[in-house]
Amino acid sequence: MAPTLHPETFCPLGAKMGMATGQFNKVDFPGCSSPPKAVTANRGRSGLQNTLAFYSMSQLDKVQQLEYLSLLLNVNNPQEAKGAYAALLPAATTLSVQVLGEIPKGLEQAIMAGQSKNWKSRGWRAELKRKEFSPASNGHQLTYRLYPGK
């Protein structure tokens, strides 16, 4: 898919990954998102489960221009991190194939290791980023994001 397409064009991809989005919002939240979906059974110290959500986002002042596509994995129960990573993997693979036409080399290994990594592919920049919660024992985020190439 072309990185120049309107962000709303990408909203139906959420349903292909089992995370249907609401309608594209041009005012308050410039994009579309799915509700967070629980991907493992048990809650962490924070009382929250591990969740996964999909986003197609633009900026308030540039609603017609895609800022990024994102799969956001909240690992709220680090003891079930591997199961959460396993839930992110097929969604990231589907998103990659639908948008990039290919799976970035090393994506599976990076996701399953919970490690940050970057790629460039067909006019896009892909990023897997890990961000620790504070305190770290409460978990982390692992976000797979596609940006229009720059």
Side-chain angles (χ1 to χ4, degrees):
M1 296 180 86
T4 55
L5 292 173
H6 190 288
E8 188 172 13
T9 307
F10 297 95
C11 295
L13 293 177
K16 290 185 179 191
M17 296 176 284
M19 294 174 281
T21 67
Q23 289 190 333
F24 189 81
N25 181 337
K26 295 180 175 128
V27 181
D28 304 319
F29 179 83
C32 60
S33 66
S34 69
K37 172 177 131 178
V39 294
T40 57
N42 298 307
R43 298 177 187 278
R45 297 170 108 213
S46 64
L48 301 171
Q49 291 175 281
N50 295 333
T51 60
L52 180 62
F54 169 71
Y55 298 85
S56 176
M57 299 298 300
S58 62
Q59 294 178 3
L60 278 173
D61 59 341
K62 297 177 187 171
V63 175
Q64 306 292 330
Q65 183 179 338
L66 180 70
E67 183 178 1
Y68 62 80
L69 301 172
S70 184
L71 288 167
L72 175 62
L73 178 68
N74 282 315
V75 180
N76 295 304
N77 182 351
Q79 293 181 335
E80 293 185 341
K82 291 290 183 197
Y85 299 161
L88 173 60
L89 183 59
T93 299
T94 298
L95 184 62
S96 297
V97 169
Q98 291 291 314
V99 176
L100 306 175
E102 64 185 14
I103 300 167
K105 186 174 178 155
L107 177 64
E108 179 179 355
Q109 294 81 0
I111 288 174
M112 294 312 293
Q115 296 178 332
S116 297
K117 189 166 178 154
N118 293 291
W119 301 266
K120 286 189 178 182
S121 177
R122 302 177 189 227
W124 292 87
R125 186 170 51 89
E127 171 186 76
L128 183 66
K129 187 173 183 180
R130 182 180 175 130
K131 179 183 173 189
E132 298 295 329
F133 294 155
S134 182
S137 61
N138 282 346
H140 59 277
Q141 281 182 343
L142 191 60
T143 306
Y144 181 55
R145 197 166 275 177
L146 301 178
Y147 299 93
K150 294 179 182 174

